[in-house]
Amino acid sequence: MSAQKDLLAPARVASYLGQGDNDTIFSLAEEHIRVATTLVKAYTRGAGFSEDGNPCADLADVIISITARRLPNPQGLRQESLASEQVTYGPQGFTLAELAVLNLYRKRAI
């Protein structure tokens, strides 16, 4: 595996979540990484990606962050309840920290 591909390895997501030995994370992360990469590439309009479609290191970090946040909530729910138990999830769009990185690559009108 090339160094570029390692930047988006499911193992990085598992490590980011502190669950490096969790096989479920590995199996789910690959598809979520693909979707997060598509979102980031669309937002930056392809800036920050090599000709073969690999992101630079800081965009790869954003993709890992997005993937880790979306894994427990792939439906994008704000909140869900079961009997008396309730879970409220975090933001579903890009976070402010992610946007700070993404906006470095986004082409904007002057």
Side-chain angles (χ1 to χ4, degrees):
M1 187 179 281
S2 72
Q4 283 291 341
K5 288 291 185 185
D6 288 343
L7 290 174
L8 295 180
R12 284 199 65 212
V13 176
S15 177
Y16 183 85
L17 291 170
Q19 298 184 34
D21 58 349
N22 187 331
D23 290 337
T24 303
I25 298 291
F26 280 84
S27 63
L28 293 172
E30 193 165 359
E31 184 65 14
H32 283 270
I33 288 170
R34 186 191 65 74
V35 171
T37 300
T38 300
L39 296 172
V40 167
K41 193 170 189 178
Y43 187 85
T44 64
R45 297 182 181 112
F49 286 81
S50 65
E51 287 184 18
D52 58 355
N54 291 316
C56 62
D58 47 353
L59 290 182
D61 289 343
V62 169
I63 292 165
I64 296 300
S65 174
I66 293 166
T67 300
R69 190 175 63 255
R70 292 182 59 93
L71 272 175
N73 185 19
Q75 301 87 356
L77 301 174
R78 289 183 186 211
Q79 196 173 58
E80 62 184 327
S81 301
L82 180 62
S84 63
E85 299 296 318
Q86 187 174 29
V87 176
T88 301
Y89 295 103
Q92 291 307 304
F94 297 124
T95 65
L96 188 58
E98 291 162 353
L99 284 171
V101 175
L102 293 173
N103 285 338
L104 295 173
Y105 294 92
R106 186 174 172 92
K107 298 173 188 170
R108 295 173 173 227
I110 297 177

